[in-house]
Amino acid sequence: MQTITLLGATGSIGSSTLDVLARHPQRYRLHALTAHESHDKLLALCLEHRPERAVLGSEAGARWLADALREAGCDVEVSWGEAALCEVAAEADTVVAAIVGAAGLQPTLAAVRAGRRVLLANKEALVMSGALFMAEVERCGAVLLPLDSEHNAIFQCLPREHRGGLGRHGITRLLLTASGGPFREFDAAALARVTPEQACAHPNWSMGRKISVDSATLMNKGLELIEACWLFDARPEQIEVVVHPQSVIHSMAAYSDGSVLAQLGNPDMRTPIAHALAWPERIDAGVEALDLFAVARLDFQPPDMQRFPCLRLAREAISAGGTAPAILNAANEVAVEAFLAGRIGFTEIAALVARALEEIESVSADGLETIMAHDRSARRMVQALIDEGAAVTVE
Ligand code: NAD
Ligand code: MG
């Protein structure tokens, strides 16, 4: 019986994870469920799944939840805040890191430092602190398994031992597939006018609002490129992004003998979640078998960096190294939030990220303090530009 802490239980990854866990009650027991603000949703999940602990973002939320659980006769220990998140992350055998954004960094690191098995969905944590994060995984003997569908696919296509550089294992390239998002065929003028609702209606995947916007700008693919560099010891130039609108091939690894290994499946996050939960075994994920005759064809195109500059910015940030990826990530989080709130246009997201990368000089990312300081500077700078209503355009 493995105990599980699910960080970000009320989100899209959270709900897919609970679906898989509920199919295997004999293998997994829930230690803790966490959420930020949605205390009513967390109440419903606690009543249904009966974890030992629940954590919310605020004291008021936690009080409300504790009262409601007591009234329902449900015995769950409720706490709140970052320290409690770090505590529950260190306590279970397996931690599913599915908080969105930089807020997930400290609790995910707490799981790593406790030497847990860490199933990583929260790509922003790794993007911000890659070198430090991977050094901690090594030092603390944590087992890091990717939940992001592309990275999970690549993991499945690599030999079991793949650290120490791709070349050592005969791997020449990683092919990261991208759906292209809902605006794949929009021209620049149409892109400038798209709404948050359009951006959140992804053709193949149903996801949280932030990652849906990232997917539409291709920043998600940029963050994933950085994520892949750290997870697989790859150089940025060893990773090629391939637009594949059907989202059936989840990514590929190319070998020196000409072989290309791919992982295919229906676009359903329960597959990578079940894979990582059970690894190295296999369990049922509740996902329908892939019907290749219904899929019929697979298309591939190169990404358009002119219309989707976020992918180029992310590549530049990881090539520059140091705190540049943390600056990119923080600027993007603030810009996406402003876009979702209707305060800026879609194409301004990339322009704001570019400004932050130009104006804040990247330094060596040797400690968490330095990384967090650059995260804060980028947030302040981008927020000020948005508040000033400064007209920003993409060059
Ligand atoms: P979501 O918005 O649906 O859920 C986010 C979860 O994080 C919620 O439970 C929320 O309560 C919690 N949260 C938000 N802010 C928080 C804070 N400040 N402190 C603590 N908890 C907080 O997001 P999602 O789509 O489930 O994505 C979660 C993560 O997984 C993201 O990093 C995303 O990039 C990654 N991911 C998601 C998918 C997907 O299909 N949804 C696929 C691959 C990777
Ligand atoms: Mg992905």
mmCIF file of all heavy atoms in Angstrom, residues 49-79:
data_model
loop_
_atom_site.group_PDB
_atom_site.id
_atom_site.type_symbol
_atom_site.label_atom_id
_atom_site.label_comp_id
_atom_site.label_asym_id
_atom_site.label_seq_id
_atom_site.Cartn_x
_atom_site.Cartn_y
_atom_site.Cartn_z
ATOM 1 N N HIS A 49 -13.122 10.958 -0.764
ATOM 2 C CA HIS A 49 -11.885 10.156 -0.797
ATOM 3 C C HIS A 49 -11.247 9.916 0.567
ATOM 4 O O HIS A 49 -10.280 9.160 0.666
ATOM 5 C CB HIS A 49 -10.870 10.798 -1.744
ATOM 6 C CG HIS A 49 -11.347 10.895 -3.158
ATOM 7 N ND1 HIS A 49 -11.360 9.816 -4.005
ATOM 8 C CD2 HIS A 49 -11.876 11.934 -3.862
ATOM 9 C CE1 HIS A 49 -11.843 10.188 -5.188
ATOM 10 N NE2 HIS A 49 -12.174 11.469 -5.118
ATOM 11 N N ARG A 50 -11.723 10.601 1.619
ATOM 12 C CA ARG A 50 -11.275 10.364 2.997
ATOM 13 C C ARG A 50 -9.746 10.352 3.193
ATOM 14 O O ARG A 50 -9.172 9.341 3.614
ATOM 15 C CB ARG A 50 -11.853 9.023 3.504
ATOM 16 C CG ARG A 50 -13.365 8.928 3.364
ATOM 17 C CD ARG A 50 -14.020 9.559 4.550
ATOM 18 N NE ARG A 50 -15.429 9.817 4.308
ATOM 19 C CZ ARG A 50 -16.319 10.028 5.269
ATOM 20 N NH1 ARG A 50 -15.961 9.991 6.542
ATOM 21 N NH2 ARG A 50 -17.568 10.290 4.979
ATOM 22 N N PRO A 51 -9.071 11.464 2.884
ATOM 23 C CA PRO A 51 -7.632 11.515 3.177
ATOM 24 C C PRO A 51 -7.421 11.695 4.690
ATOM 25 O O PRO A 51 -8.388 11.983 5.409
ATOM 26 C CB PRO A 51 -7.188 12.785 2.442
ATOM 27 C CG PRO A 51 -8.399 13.662 2.504
ATOM 28 C CD PRO A 51 -9.590 12.739 2.400
ATOM 29 N N GLU A 52 -6.156 11.555 5.137
ATOM 30 C CA GLU A 52 -5.887 11.838 6.552
ATOM 31 C C GLU A 52 -5.769 13.328 6.810
ATOM 32 O O GLU A 52 -6.140 13.812 7.865
ATOM 33 C CB GLU A 52 -4.604 11.136 6.986
ATOM 34 C CG GLU A 52 -4.867 9.715 7.438
ATOM 35 C CD GLU A 52 -3.625 8.864 7.385
ATOM 36 O OE1 GLU A 52 -2.558 9.359 7.796
ATOM 37 O OE2 GLU A 52 -3.740 7.715 6.929
ATOM 38 N N ARG A 53 -5.201 14.067 5.821
ATOM 39 C CA ARG A 53 -4.995 15.497 6.021
ATOM 40 C C ARG A 53 -5.496 16.288 4.815
ATOM 41 O O ARG A 53 -5.519 15.783 3.694
ATOM 42 C CB ARG A 53 -3.507 15.803 6.240
ATOM 43 C CG ARG A 53 -2.914 15.117 7.454
ATOM 44 C CD ARG A 53 -1.505 15.638 7.746
ATOM 45 N NE ARG A 53 -1.513 17.078 8.029
ATOM 46 C CZ ARG A 53 -0.426 17.788 8.370
ATOM 47 N NH1 ARG A 53 0.748 17.194 8.444
ATOM 48 N NH2 ARG A 53 -0.512 19.082 8.609
ATOM 49 N N ALA A 54 -5.884 17.555 5.080
ATOM 50 C CA ALA A 54 -6.267 18.463 3.997
ATOM 51 C C ALA A 54 -5.614 19.809 4.281
ATOM 52 O O ALA A 54 -5.520 20.225 5.437
ATOM 53 C CB ALA A 54 -7.779 18.615 3.938
ATOM 54 N N VAL A 55 -5.153 20.485 3.210
ATOM 55 C CA VAL A 55 -4.478 21.778 3.387
ATOM 56 C C VAL A 55 -5.087 22.795 2.425
ATOM 57 O O VAL A 55 -5.274 22.511 1.240
ATOM 58 C CB VAL A 55 -2.960 21.666 3.111
ATOM 59 C CG1 VAL A 55 -2.271 23.007 3.341
ATOM 60 C CG2 VAL A 55 -2.324 20.588 3.977
ATOM 61 N N LEU A 56 -5.380 23.993 2.972
ATOM 62 C CA LEU A 56 -5.902 25.100 2.154
ATOM 63 C C LEU A 56 -4.955 26.294 2.239
ATOM 64 O O LEU A 56 -4.033 26.308 3.066
ATOM 65 C CB LEU A 56 -7.291 25.494 2.643
ATOM 66 C CG LEU A 56 -8.454 24.700 2.020
ATOM 67 C CD1 LEU A 56 -9.749 24.964 2.764
ATOM 68 C CD2 LEU A 56 -8.627 25.040 0.523
ATOM 69 N N GLY A 57 -5.211 27.312 1.397
ATOM 70 C CA GLY A 57 -4.326 28.470 1.336
ATOM 71 C C GLY A 57 -4.490 29.444 2.484
ATOM 72 O O GLY A 57 -3.546 30.151 2.845
ATOM 73 N N SER A 58 -5.696 29.514 3.076
ATOM 74 C CA SER A 58 -5.905 30.534 4.106
ATOM 75 C C SER A 58 -6.469 29.927 5.385
ATOM 76 O O SER A 58 -7.104 28.866 5.370
ATOM 77 C CB SER A 58 -6.889 31.592 3.597
ATOM 78 O OG SER A 58 -8.186 31.036 3.577
ATOM 79 N N GLU A 59 -6.255 30.659 6.485
ATOM 80 C CA GLU A 59 -6.743 30.205 7.787
ATOM 81 C C GLU A 59 -8.279 30.182 7.799
ATOM 82 O O GLU A 59 -8.890 29.230 8.294
ATOM 83 C CB GLU A 59 -6.225 31.147 8.885
ATOM 84 C CG GLU A 59 -6.540 30.630 10.264
ATOM 85 C CD GLU A 59 -5.922 31.480 11.364
ATOM 86 O OE1 GLU A 59 -5.301 32.530 11.053
ATOM 87 O OE2 GLU A 59 -6.070 31.102 12.537
ATOM 88 N N ALA A 60 -8.885 31.212 7.188
ATOM 89 C CA ALA A 60 -10.352 31.280 7.159
ATOM 90 C C ALA A 60 -10.923 30.078 6.410
ATOM 91 O O ALA A 60 -11.890 29.443 6.859
ATOM 92 C CB ALA A 60 -10.794 32.584 6.498
ATOM 93 N N GLY A 61 -10.313 29.756 5.276
ATOM 94 C CA GLY A 61 -10.753 28.611 4.478
ATOM 95 C C GLY A 61 -10.612 27.316 5.273
ATOM 96 O O GLY A 61 -11.509 26.458 5.261
ATOM 97 N N ALA A 62 -9.486 27.187 5.968
ATOM 98 C CA ALA A 62 -9.229 25.969 6.740
ATOM 99 C C ALA A 62 -10.245 25.824 7.876
ATOM 100 O O ALA A 62 -10.723 24.723 8.150
ATOM 101 C CB ALA A 62 -7.804 25.990 7.283
ATOM 102 N N ARG A 63 -10.583 26.957 8.550
ATOM 103 C CA ARG A 63 -11.591 26.921 9.631
ATOM 104 C C ARG A 63 -12.922 26.425 9.095
ATOM 105 O O ARG A 63 -13.568 25.572 9.683
ATOM 106 C CB ARG A 63 -11.815 28.335 10.182
ATOM 107 C CG ARG A 63 -10.736 28.783 11.095
ATOM 108 C CD ARG A 63 -11.346 29.272 12.444
ATOM 109 N NE ARG A 63 -10.259 29.589 13.337
ATOM 110 C CZ ARG A 63 -9.651 30.770 13.350
ATOM 111 N NH1 ARG A 63 -10.076 31.724 12.560
ATOM 112 N NH2 ARG A 63 -8.634 30.996 14.164
ATOM 113 N N TRP A 64 -13.316 27.012 7.941
ATOM 114 C CA TRP A 64 -14.593 26.642 7.324
ATOM 115 C C TRP A 64 -14.601 25.146 7.020
ATOM 116 O O TRP A 64 -15.550 24.429 7.335
ATOM 117 C CB TRP A 64 -14.792 27.461 6.044
ATOM 118 C CG TRP A 64 -16.073 27.142 5.333
ATOM 119 C CD1 TRP A 64 -17.275 27.759 5.510
ATOM 120 C CD2 TRP A 64 -16.285 26.099 4.353
ATOM 121 N NE1 TRP A 64 -18.219 27.168 4.703
ATOM 122 C CE2 TRP A 64 -17.643 26.150 3.993
ATOM 123 C CE3 TRP A 64 -15.453 25.155 3.767
ATOM 124 C CZ2 TRP A 64 -18.198 25.282 3.045
ATOM 125 C CZ3 TRP A 64 -16.005 24.280 2.834
ATOM 126 C CH2 TRP A 64 -17.363 24.355 2.481
ATOM 127 N N LEU A 65 -13.493 24.660 6.429
ATOM 128 C CA LEU A 65 -13.418 23.247 6.031
ATOM 129 C C LEU A 65 -13.445 22.331 7.255
ATOM 130 O O LEU A 65 -14.162 21.315 7.266
ATOM 131 C CB LEU A 65 -12.137 23.005 5.210
ATOM 132 C CG LEU A 65 -11.919 21.575 4.728
ATOM 133 C CD1 LEU A 65 -13.016 21.142 3.753
ATOM 134 C CD2 LEU A 65 -10.552 21.426 4.037
ATOM 135 N N ALA A 66 -12.702 22.711 8.294
ATOM 136 C CA ALA A 66 -12.652 21.875 9.510
ATOM 137 C C ALA A 66 -14.051 21.768 10.118
ATOM 138 O O ALA A 66 -14.489 20.675 10.513
ATOM 139 C CB ALA A 66 -11.665 22.465 10.508
ATOM 140 N N ASP A 67 -14.779 22.897 10.170
ATOM 141 C CA ASP A 67 -16.145 22.889 10.730
ATOM 142 C C ASP A 67 -17.060 21.997 9.901
ATOM 143 O O ASP A 67 -17.796 21.169 10.444
ATOM 144 C CB ASP A 67 -16.726 24.315 10.744
ATOM 145 C CG ASP A 67 -16.050 25.177 11.825
ATOM 146 O OD1 ASP A 67 -15.353 24.580 12.691
ATOM 147 O OD2 ASP A 67 -16.193 26.410 11.768
ATOM 148 N N ALA A 68 -17.001 22.186 8.587
ATOM 149 C CA ALA A 68 -17.882 21.418 7.701
ATOM 150 C C ALA A 68 -17.590 19.918 7.813
ATOM 151 O O ALA A 68 -18.506 19.095 7.813
ATOM 152 C CB ALA A 68 -17.708 21.891 6.260
ATOM 153 N N LEU A 69 -16.311 19.562 7.928
ATOM 154 C CA LEU A 69 -15.947 18.138 8.023
ATOM 155 C C LEU A 69 -16.414 17.555 9.358
ATOM 156 O O LEU A 69 -16.897 16.429 9.419
ATOM 157 C CB LEU A 69 -14.431 17.964 7.866
ATOM 158 C CG LEU A 69 -13.912 18.089 6.425
ATOM 159 C CD1 LEU A 69 -12.396 18.253 6.396
ATOM 160 C CD2 LEU A 69 -14.316 16.866 5.598
ATOM 161 N N ARG A 70 -16.270 18.350 10.419
ATOM 162 C CA ARG A 70 -16.705 17.883 11.740
ATOM 163 C C ARG A 70 -18.207 17.617 11.726
ATOM 164 O O ARG A 70 -18.669 16.577 12.187
ATOM 165 C CB ARG A 70 -16.350 18.922 12.826
ATOM 166 C CG ARG A 70 -16.311 18.311 14.230
ATOM 167 C CD ARG A 70 -15.794 19.283 15.292
ATOM 168 N NE ARG A 70 -14.579 19.999 14.899
ATOM 169 C CZ ARG A 70 -14.514 21.307 14.625
ATOM 170 N NH1 ARG A 70 -15.602 22.057 14.690
ATOM 171 N NH2 ARG A 70 -13.374 21.869 14.286
ATOM 172 N N GLU A 71 -18.941 18.576 11.139
ATOM 173 C CA GLU A 71 -20.401 18.419 11.054
ATOM 174 C C GLU A 71 -20.794 17.156 10.286
ATOM 175 O O GLU A 71 -21.769 16.485 10.618
ATOM 176 C CB GLU A 71 -21.013 19.616 10.325
ATOM 177 C CG GLU A 71 -21.760 20.548 11.260
ATOM 178 C CD GLU A 71 -22.131 21.824 10.533
ATOM 179 O OE1 GLU A 71 -22.826 21.742 9.491
ATOM 180 O OE2 GLU A 71 -21.705 22.902 11.012
ATOM 181 N N ALA A 72 -19.995 16.841 9.267
ATOM 182 C CA ALA A 72 -20.297 15.660 8.448
ATOM 183 C C ALA A 72 -19.765 14.376 9.098
ATOM 184 O O ALA A 72 -19.909 13.292 8.525
ATOM 185 C CB ALA A 72 -19.696 15.834 7.058
ATOM 186 N N GLY A 73 -19.117 14.526 10.244
ATOM 187 C CA GLY A 73 -18.578 13.349 10.945
ATOM 188 C C GLY A 73 -17.402 12.728 10.212
ATOM 189 O O GLY A 73 -17.153 11.518 10.300
ATOM 190 N N CYS A 74 -16.631 13.570 9.499
ATOM 191 C CA CYS A 74 -15.498 13.073 8.712
ATOM 192 C C CYS A 74 -14.204 13.510 9.389
ATOM 193 O O CYS A 74 -13.957 14.709 9.562
ATOM 194 C CB CYS A 74 -15.605 13.653 7.295
ATOM 195 S SG CYS A 74 -14.372 13.075 6.164
ATOM 196 N N ASP A 75 -13.375 12.544 9.745
ATOM 197 C CA ASP A 75 -12.199 12.828 10.561
ATOM 198 C C ASP A 75 -10.973 13.116 9.683
ATOM 199 O O ASP A 75 -10.246 12.193 9.309
ATOM 200 C CB ASP A 75 -11.957 11.607 11.470
ATOM 201 C CG ASP A 75 -10.794 11.855 12.425
ATOM 202 O OD1 ASP A 75 -10.486 13.034 12.673
ATOM 203 O OD2 ASP A 75 -10.206 10.862 12.886
ATOM 204 N N VAL A 76 -10.769 14.414 9.363
ATOM 205 C CA VAL A 76 -9.614 14.817 8.551
ATOM 206 C C VAL A 76 -8.921 15.965 9.279
ATOM 207 O O VAL A 76 -9.580 16.896 9.739
ATOM 208 C CB VAL A 76 -10.063 15.311 7.146
ATOM 209 C CG1 VAL A 76 -8.869 15.762 6.321
ATOM 210 C CG2 VAL A 76 -10.839 14.237 6.404
ATOM 211 N N GLU A 77 -7.583 15.900 9.371
ATOM 212 C CA GLU A 77 -6.843 16.989 10.018
ATOM 213 C C GLU A 77 -6.647 18.113 8.995
ATOM 214 O O GLU A 77 -6.062 17.901 7.936
ATOM 215 C CB GLU A 77 -5.491 16.451 10.495
ATOM 216 C CG GLU A 77 -4.672 17.471 11.249
ATOM 217 C CD GLU A 77 -3.218 17.009 11.447
ATOM 218 O OE1 GLU A 77 -2.975 15.777 11.438
ATOM 219 O OE2 GLU A 77 -2.363 17.894 11.586
ATOM 220 N N VAL A 78 -7.141 19.318 9.338
ATOM 221 C CA VAL A 78 -7.077 20.425 8.373
ATOM 222 C C VAL A 78 -6.028 21.451 8.792
ATOM 223 O O VAL A 78 -5.970 21.846 9.959
ATOM 224 C CB VAL A 78 -8.454 21.122 8.258
ATOM 225 C CG1 VAL A 78 -8.398 22.238 7.214
ATOM 226 C CG2 VAL A 78 -9.538 20.113 7.889
ATOM 227 N N SER A 79 -5.182 21.878 7.856
ATOM 228 C CA SER A 79 -4.242 22.963 8.140
ATOM 229 C C SER A 79 -4.177 23.905 6.940
ATOM 230 O O SER A 79 -4.858 23.688 5.936
ATOM 231 C CB SER A 79 -2.850 22.446 8.498
ATOM 232 O OG SER A 79 -2.679 21.106 8.166
#
